[in-house]
Amino acid sequence: MKLFLKIFFLLPVWLLRCMTFQKSTVINNQILDFQTQIFIGLQSLQVDSFDDPNSFDSAQEIREFMIEGLPLSSKPGMPIKIKDHFLPTEFGHLKIREYCPEKIISSSPILYFHGGGYVLGGIESHDAALQFFAAEIGAKFFSLDYRLAPENKFPSSLEDANFALEWLGEKLNMPIKEISLCGDSAGGHLCASLSTFRAINNSELPLSQCLIYPMIDPSCNSKSQVDFASGFFLSQKIMIWFWKQLINSAENQNDPLFNLTIDPKVCLPKTLLITAGFDPLSDEGEAYARLLHNAGNEVQQIHYPHLIHGFVNMTSLKAAKSATVDLLKTCLLYTSDAADEGLGVDLGGRRI
């Protein structure tokens, strides 16, 4: 399978069109990247995909099913030094992996939270992607192995994230306001939840947050959730299941740390929010960007209309790599005062 994928990733798009005779997928005036389209068609061959989580006996069974990942991330462009840290807590050791590129460009470290619906994923699932990220923008990344649901319900992961941020500030001997947050999907939700938690409690806020196609709305009833309910890597059914694993009680629905559609009425860090066109989470991500904007917060949204959820972990796909490099360059500005120079656009228009 790995050899087959290596060959597939090298094939030019024109040859894929000749080999498959498929028409381009067009929804809501958005055209799905053709290489990505064919890759989705091969999804049944992926060992790390699943269509119905309810067909498994437990979340742990799903994790074991997905334990061997496929080579979907590009190799880093420079050597990366990796070091694991183990933080003692009342429930055991919390693991954080440090990625230090050979050449440091940004002095602001980035604390990263992985995706996986709060149920799947971890340091290992995002290891290749984080090496690529660190090399691409020359910044130190710290990837947190937070506790997963359903064994650890909300707000366990939030507690881990806050603990890790405080630890990182002490370790690096720098104020929290010089540290940035970044995360994809559930990790994007965790970034926003952590920033909101600290704002509500009058704690020092991080420098910025980059939310990559974040989970926002536990109701899962947006138009994009319906339009892309199945067939585009992430499904509405899986999203509903993820939220059910995370929720601790019905009261969480009214908690702005859990349900990000609720305006916490606090000032949050400058925010870069990424959405993808063929993603069930696209509309709720855009709605969250608008909520922050209307509340007076500094926010920019970049929309990639031709891509799917999870594309930053699929940089072996040409369009996914190009978009990931693009968003990382913007993220680099957000981890420094250079963000004020205004790369990209604000909510008044999407950068495509």
Side-chain angles (χ1 to χ4, degrees), residues 8 28 57 100 130 137 146 157 198 201 222 225 243 318 323 329 339-340 349:
F8 169 78
N28 298 334
D57 293 331
C100 182
L130 266 292
I137 63 174
Y146 57 84
S157 52
R198 295 185 67 85
N201 288 279
S222 69
Q225 286 272 6
W243 282 109
K318 299 176 180 63
K329 288 179 179 177
D340 296 330

Side-chain angles (χ1 to χ4, degrees), residues 213-227:
Y213 36 74
M215 289 171 56
I216 299 294
D217 186 358
S219 68
C220 298
N221 61 2
S222 69
K223 184 177 184 299
S224 62
Q225 286 272 6
V226 176
D227 289 346

Side-chain angles (χ1 to χ4, degrees), residues 77-134:
M78 68 174 72
I80 304 295
K81 183 179 180 180
I82 298 174
K83 181 179 180 180
D84 287 341
H85 304 273
F86 297 90
L87 287 55
T89 69
E90 61 183 24
F91 57 83
H93 285 86
L94 193 61
K95 185 176 180 180
I96 295 181
R97 179 165 294 176
E98 177 182 356
Y99 298 85
C100 182
E102 185 177 52
K103 182 179 180 181
I104 299 291
I105 296 175
S106 172
S107 60
S108 176
I110 300 172
L111 179 58
Y112 194 90
F113 305 130
H114 67 82
Y118 281 106
V119 180
L120 309 174
I123 285 180
E124 297 303 332
S125 68
H126 283 59
D127 181 73
L130 266 292
Q131 290 189 50
F132 179 77
F133 292 177

Side-chain angles (χ1 to χ4, degrees), residues 79-315:
I80 304 295
K81 183 179 180 180
I82 298 174
K83 181 179 180 180
D84 287 341
H85 304 273
F86 297 90
L87 287 55
T89 69
E90 61 183 24
F91 57 83
H93 285 86
L94 193 61
K95 185 176 180 180
I96 295 181
R97 179 165 294 176
E98 177 182 356
Y99 298 85
C100 182
E102 185 177 52
K103 182 179 180 181
I104 299 291
I105 296 175
S106 172
S107 60
S108 176
I110 300 172
L111 179 58
Y112 194 90
F113 305 130
H114 67 82
Y118 281 106
V119 180
L120 309 174
I123 285 180
E124 297 303 332
S125 68
H126 283 59
D127 181 73
L130 266 292
Q131 290 189 50
F132 179 77
F133 292 177
E136 194 63 34
I137 63 174
K140 281 189 176 183
F141 278 79
F142 292 81
S143 180
L144 174 64
D145 214 15
Y146 57 84
R147 287 174 290 169
L148 298 177
E151 297 88 346
N152 303 282
K153 299 283 189 177
F154 176 83
S156 297
S157 52
L158 175 57
E159 294 169 352
D160 293 349
N162 191 58
F163 185 86
L165 181 59
E166 295 281 354
W167 171 84
L168 189 56
E170 293 178 4
K171 170 183 169 51
L172 300 178
N173 193 28
M174 65 168 49
I176 300 297
K177 65 181 180 181
E178 295 181 11
I179 300 173
S180 293
L181 305 179
C182 185
D184 66 286
S185 196
H189 178 277
L190 187 51
C191 283
S193 180
L194 174 58
S195 294
T196 303
F197 169 80
R198 295 185 67 85
I200 289 175
N201 288 279
N202 297 313
S203 299
E204 187 177 20
L205 295 180
L207 172 62
S208 65
Q209 56 181 4
C210 178
L211 317 179
I212 305 173
Y213 36 74
M215 289 171 56
I216 299 294
D217 186 358
S219 68
C220 298
N221 61 2
S222 69
K223 184 177 184 299
S224 62
Q225 286 272 6
V226 176
D227 289 346
F228 307 104
S230 62
F232 296 97
F233 191 73
L234 178 67
S235 72
Q236 184 183 35
K237 179 187 294 185
I238 290 172
M239 281 308 309
I240 293 172
W241 184 81
F242 280 152
W243 282 109
K244 285 183 178 179
Q245 308 313 301
L246 178 64
I247 193 168
N248 197 16
S249 71
E251 295 178 354
N252 295 155
Q253 296 283 4
N254 301 315
D255 187 341
L257 303 180
F258 180 86
N259 184 351
L260 298 183
T261 67
I262 300 173
D263 187 352
K265 301 188 184 308
V266 291
C267 293
L268 295 174
K270 54 190 177 185
T271 301
L272 174 65
L273 197 146
I274 308 301
T275 52
F278 290 77
D279 181 1
L281 305 188
S282 179
D283 284 357
E284 61 196 70
E286 182 169 343
Y288 186 65
R290 190 166 300 281
L291 183 152
L292 296 184
H293 175 76
N294 292 340
N297 292 290
E298 180 182 344
V299 58
Q300 292 190 31
Q301 179 197 356
I302 304 178
H303 183 69
Y304 298 97
H306 55 299
L307 294 176
I308 61 174
H309 189 89
F311 72 81
V312 298
N313 293 89
M314 305 176 187
T315 48

